[in-house]
């Protein structure tokens, strides 16, 4: 339900909303012209070559009519069969598995009827392979990616990145996991094969005809679009039937805007193996894990001492909406929930059961949790005297800004330009805007894995703090309302223009995104 003029006056935004809404209207946006893909490089001999197609499809998700989706499908032209695994009865794209050092070629075919481009979230790739929106290709066109896998073993993912259309395209189903392995990780002999579980968390809203609905009004875009049906690997009502074994669980928050506070239903602490950029130095225990859009964690799930027939659930615990999103409850308008009300809406912070596990079989398992998982290289060490840049996250005229600026496809400011192989400290300050217009923003940098140095300023009572994971390499960090988060980031040898942005996809599409340039 769109906001009435009276409600907007109450928000104090009528004067500017008209202009901002018009300037941001999708209809007014002119799509990029078709671009020819880079040609295959003759002396690039790929270890893995894949055709990845984005196309409309239909998937039976609920009783009744199938749901129209957009889906990535893959075909392996060269390389080990393990490089590509499709999901069954799911809109998720195939899981891609690469090994560090492999040369990968992907031929992306856009069979949608609008422009698109693919981004490899978390991977350190050359500029031309990063999927910047100015590389978007027209409907029917093909884009060629070639890169060497330089990242550590870890759980990464891929999704579209066209200007102002990332949110809707991901909501329609375009996303997949990208898993990197390397010899150090293989030597740990962590649970693999059937003992490695993938867990992509997403939420969707359905209309009466089982079709996905999407942000219908300005307010749903301001707040980020949340659905009311939870999906695991693209399926509702997820239930896993497992054995009395130890499992490695790779979890991605692939939701457009929903933040989860993950915990096991019986209070078992979560044992963390890894974060966005791969394994931690040592396993870590935490009662709950706050996972923001774009982020990944790897968990050790030990069911060896459970009894057959017992159950366990993965939950998202309740938290006050104001800890993550706009809480308009005090404004006498029936609260934000009332403003965006829709039958069955599940607000941000509502308690959720994401996944039900039944221990169904007794089996012996020899898997042991290693005491040490990884040794971090020098880039992890704090660098004294690294230049510090502050980036305020603000809200004005119904638009979110980074560093006081909105996205411009080709613009890079001086303070967004850095030398290759240099180390910087970037500090994100979640300042918000007038009238408490403040939200948690998951800030993501393309191509980089960074280290969180510190956080200050969030309310001591913020329930999401308990679950924050600041150990390990990250490419997406949640900045809570009022908080300043300092990260140390090492820019690698790939020069060119890359993006950093809020990973609430509606914020990204509204321009809470900027270029940085490595020279
Ligand atoms: Cu996963 Cu530019 O983002
Ligand atoms: Cu990315
Ligand atoms: Cu945001």
């Amino acid at each position: 339900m769109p906001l009435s003029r009276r409600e907007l006056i109450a928000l104090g935004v009528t004067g500017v909303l008209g202009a901002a809404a018009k300037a941001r209207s999708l209809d007014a946006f002119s799509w990029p012209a078709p671009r020819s893909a880079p040609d295959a490089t003759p002396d690039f001999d790929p270890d893995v070559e894949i055709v990845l197609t984005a196309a409309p499809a239909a998937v039976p998700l609920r009783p009744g009519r199938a749901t129209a989706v957009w889906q990535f499908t893959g075909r392996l032209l060269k390389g080990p069969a393990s490089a590509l695994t499709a999901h069954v009865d799911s809109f998720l794209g195939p899981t891609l598995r690469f090994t560090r050092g492999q040369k990968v070629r992907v031929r992306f075919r856009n069979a949608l009827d609008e422009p698109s481009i693919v981004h490899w979230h978390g991977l350190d790739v050359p500029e031309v392979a990063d999927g910047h929106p100015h590389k978007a290709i027209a409907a029917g066109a093909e884009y060629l990616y070639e890169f060497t896998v330089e990242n550590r073993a870890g759980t990464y993912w891929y999704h579209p990145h066209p200007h102002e259309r990332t949110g809707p395209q991901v909501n329609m189903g375009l996303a997949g996991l990208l898993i990197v392995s390397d010899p150090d990780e293989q030597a740990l002999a962590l649970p693999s094969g059937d003992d490695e579980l993938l867990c992509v968390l997403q939420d969707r809203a359905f209309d009466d005809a089982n079709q996905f609905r999407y942000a219908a009004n300005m307010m749903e875009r301001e707040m980020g679009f949340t659905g009311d049906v939870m999906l695991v690997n693209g399926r509702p009502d997820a239930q896993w039937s497992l054995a009395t074994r130890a499992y490695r669980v790779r979890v991605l928050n692939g939701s457009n805007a929903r933040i989860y506070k993950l915990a096991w239903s019986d209070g078992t602490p979560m044992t963390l193996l890894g974060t966005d950029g791969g394994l931690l130095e040592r396993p870590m225990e935490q009662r709950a894990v706050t996972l923001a859009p774009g982020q990944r964690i790897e968990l050790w799930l030990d069911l060896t001492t459970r009894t057959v027939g017992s159950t366990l659930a993965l939950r998202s615990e309740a938290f006050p909406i104001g800890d993550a999103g706009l809480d308009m409850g005090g404004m006498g308008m029936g609260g934000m929930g009332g403003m965006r009300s829709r039958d069955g809406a599940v607000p941000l912070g509502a308690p959720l059961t994401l996944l039900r596990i039944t221990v169904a079989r007794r089996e012996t398992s020899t898997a042991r949790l290693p005491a040490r998982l990884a040794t971090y290289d020098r880039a992890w060490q704090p660098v004294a005297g690294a230049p510090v840049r502050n980036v305020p996250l603000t809200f004005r005229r119904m638009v979110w800004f980074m560093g006081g600026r909105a996205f411009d496809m080709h613009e890079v400011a001086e303070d967004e330009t850095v030398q290759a192989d240099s180390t910087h400290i970037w500090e994100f300050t979640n300042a918000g805007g007038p009238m408490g217009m403040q939200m948690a923003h998951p800030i993501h940098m393309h191509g980089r894995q960074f280290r969180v140095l510190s956080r200050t300023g969030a309310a001591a009572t913020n329930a999401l703090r308990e679950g924050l994971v600041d150990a390990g390499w990250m490419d997406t960090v949640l900045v809570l309302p009022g908080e300043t988060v300092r990260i140390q980031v090492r820019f690698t040898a790939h020069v060119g223009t890359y993006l950093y942005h809020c990973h609430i996809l509606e914020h990204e599409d509204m321009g809470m995104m900027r270029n940085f340039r490595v020279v």
Side-chain angles (χ1 to χ4, degrees):
M1 185 181 64
L3 295 179
S4 71
R5 184 158 180 87
R6 193 154 42 90
E7 287 167 321
L8 290 167
I9 289 168
L11 275 171
V13 293
T14 41
V16 290
L17 175 65
K22 197 167 161 208
R24 296 271 137 199
S25 142
L26 292 181
D27 300 337
F29 179 69
S30 57
W31 294 114
R35 277 161 211 278
S36 52
D39 289 327
T41 314
D43 61 359
F44 184 92
D45 182 22
D47 301 297
V48 179
E49 184 164 357
I50 287 169
V51 180
L52 191 70
T53 304
V59 181
L61 291 179
R62 318 177 87 194
R65 219 172 118 193
T67 304
V69 300
W70 294 347
Q71 184 173 33
F72 286 120
T73 52
R75 193 154 53 85
L76 189 64
L77 300 182
K78 186 181 176 193
S82 60
L84 195 153
T85 328
H87 287 267
V88 180
D89 277 346
S90 166
F91 55 77
L92 273 193
T95 300
L96 307 180
R97 287 178 191 267
F98 302 140
T99 306
R100 191 176 193 172
Q102 270 181 337
K103 288 180 175 168
V104 174
R105 178 181 285 152
V106 180
R107 298 176 181 277
F108 167 57
R109 297 205 171 132
N110 179 8
L112 307 171
D113 61 6
E114 62 178 57
S116 195
I117 192 73
V118 181
H119 167 59
W120 318 101
H121 180 125
L123 289 199
D124 185 13
V125 294
E127 175 191 41
V128 67
D130 189 53
H132 190 289
H134 79 258
K135 303 278 196 241
I137 54 166
E142 180 178 314
Y143 194 89
L144 187 124
Y145 295 87
E146 289 173 342
F147 55 86
T148 301
V149 178
E150 295 176 20
N151 283 67
R152 303 177 64 230
T155 308
Y156 305 93
W157 64 303
Y158 61 96
H159 59 77
H161 222 299
H163 188 41
E164 299 187 342
R165 292 291 291 166
T166 298
Q169 290 194 4
V170 171
N171 186 68
M172 281 302 287
L174 294 171
L177 284 172
L178 192 165
I179 293 171
V180 175
S181 175
D182 67 24
D184 293 344
E185 180 222 25
Q186 284 158 19
L188 295 169
L190 292 168
S192 63
D194 289 346
D195 297 343
E196 182 205 48
L197 306 171
L198 308 179
C199 181
V200 178
L201 302 175
Q202 292 173 310
D203 55 340
R204 289 292 182 273
F206 290 86
D207 68 14
D208 294 342
N210 277 354
Q211 305 307 301
F212 290 149
R213 62 176 290 283
Y214 189 60
N217 58 50
M218 190 72 174
M219 193 49 63
E220 283 188 323
R221 302 184 74 218
E222 302 295 356
M223 296 184 52
F225 184 64
T226 48
D228 28 61
V229 176
M230 302 305 130
L231 307 178
V232 173
N233 300 330
R235 304 287 313 166
D237 298 318
Q239 315 230 8
W240 289 354
S241 170
L242 300 176
T244 51
R245 300 175 70 85
Y247 293 90
R248 175 185 196 174
V249 193
R250 299 178 185 265
V251 188
L252 159 68
N253 183 349
S255 312
N256 282 32
R258 188 177 288 278
I259 295 168
Y260 302 96
K261 187 178 178 186
L262 302 176
W264 295 120
S265 53
D266 66 352
T268 303
M270 306 205 102
T271 304
L272 276 93
L273 299 174
T275 53
D276 294 343
L279 295 171
L280 296 164
E281 292 182 289
R282 286 179 197 80
M284 202 175 110
E285 279 195 353
Q286 228 169 263
R287 197 194 65 79
V289 170
T290 298
L291 201 68
Q295 293 187 312
R296 290 85 66 204
I297 45 156
E298 293 185 26
L299 299 174
W300 175 268
L301 172 59
D302 185 355
L303 301 179
T304 52
T305 57
R306 306 234 166 197
T307 50
V308 172
S310 63
T311 59
L312 180 70
L314 178 64
R315 291 242 175 91
S316 181
E317 296 191 336
F319 54 87
I321 192 168
D323 289 354
L326 299 174
D327 181 8
M328 314 297 284
M331 296 186 68
M333 294 184 299
M336 188 56 82
M339 281 173 65
R340 63 195 306 251
S341 69
R342 179 174 86 219
D343 286 348
V346 177
L348 193 56
L352 306 163
T353 296
L354 303 169
L355 166 66
R356 290 189 169 84
I357 293 171
T358 304
V359 182
R361 305 179 301 279
R362 172 144 304 283
E363 279 177 26
T364 48
S365 156
T366 52
R368 281 254 153 66
L369 178 62
R372 199 172 175 87
L373 296 166
T375 305
Y376 285 177
D377 62 12
R378 266 185 34 233
W380 184 257
Q381 301 310 314
V383 172
V388 179
R389 169 178 182 234
N390 183 265
V391 185
L393 311 174
T394 51
F395 186 81
R396 283 183 280 131
R397 301 181 184 172
M398 300 304 277
V399 181
W400 301 98
F401 291 88
M402 297 182 78
R405 308 177 186 111
F407 184 60
D408 178 300
M409 189 75 87
H410 301 287
E411 188 187 283
V412 187
E414 205 175 318
D415 61 357
E416 295 172 317
T417 304
V418 296
Q419 302 286 317
D421 288 319
S422 68
T423 298
H424 289 251
I425 290 169
W426 281 15
E427 189 181 79
F428 300 99
T429 298
N430 196 340
M435 304 179 73
M437 296 292 275
Q438 212 171 39
M439 282 184 66
H441 300 282
I443 303 297
H444 168 55
M445 293 187 81
H446 279 213
R448 305 278 70 80
Q449 295 295 330
F450 50 76
R451 175 184 180 170
V452 178
L453 293 178
S454 66
R455 332 178 148 252
T456 47
T461 52
N462 191 309
L464 291 173
R465 290 181 57 188
E466 181 196 4
L468 292 169
V469 178
D470 286 332
W473 293 106
M474 314 288 284
D475 56 46
T476 308
V477 65
L478 186 63
V479 187
L480 296 174
E483 197 169 42
T484 292
V485 176
R486 273 193 162 214
I487 64 168
Q488 174 174 297
V489 51
R490 172 134 188 109
F491 293 91
T492 60
H494 291 303
V495 296
T497 303
Y498 295 86
L499 295 163
Y500 63 111
H501 58 85
C502 178
H503 220 287
I504 292 177
L505 298 183
E506 291 69 38
H507 292 183
E508 172 191 332
D509 282 343
M510 290 168 75
M512 196 180 187
M513 173 158 78
R514 290 288 300 176
N515 289 312
F516 67 86
R517 181 172 293 155
V518 183
V519 294

